[in-house]
Structure formats: structure tokens, C-alpha cells
Amino acid sequence: MKRPFDYNQIFYNEVIYYLEQKWNRPLTEHEQHVLIEGYKYGRLVETENQAQIGFLK
């Protein structure tokens, strides 16, 4: 598996804001860090899957 990309901070802010609204509280610094790493990993997997689908067509 490849290393995840770093994205523009605005993408991280969007997902942090989403969970803060869903949970109705601010996320801790640790929760934000874990969320960002999960976001990067999820985007990497999504990109790899899309590349495989494109390759199979």
C-alpha cells in the first residue's frame, strides 16, 4: 500500500466540523489527529479502488 497524501487543511476542517456537529461537542486534539489519519487512509483506499475499477474497464 502506498503512503497517504496530505490534503489541504480545508478538507480536514470539513470532516472535523462534521463530527463536531454530529457529536455536539468540540473534538480533542487527539481525536482530530486520529480523524485526519483515518481520512487520509480512507481517501487512499478510495483512490486505489477507483484506479482498479478504471483498469478493469
Side-chain angles (χ1 to χ4, degrees):
M1 181 180 296
K2 298 176 180 67
R3 282 186 52 96
F5 297 112
D6 287 322
Y7 293 94
N8 190 313
Q9 184 63 39
I10 191 121
F11 292 106
Y12 304 138
N13 291 345
E14 183 178 354
V15 72
I16 289 168
Y17 178 76
Y18 169 77
L19 271 186
E20 287 180 338
Q21 295 306 300
K22 184 174 181 176
W23 293 350
N24 198 29
R25 67 173 178 81
L27 299 181
T28 65
E29 196 171 310
H30 174 72
E31 289 171 330
Q32 288 181 18
H33 177 74
V34 171
L35 180 62
I36 288 170
E37 292 303 315
Y39 179 83
K40 290 178 185 180
Y41 178 76
R43 293 291 303 256
L44 174 65
V45 170
E46 180 182 30
T47 302
E48 288 178 345
N49 288 340
Q50 287 177 351
Q52 285 180 344
I53 290 169
F55 179 74
L56 295 175
K57 285 186 177 182

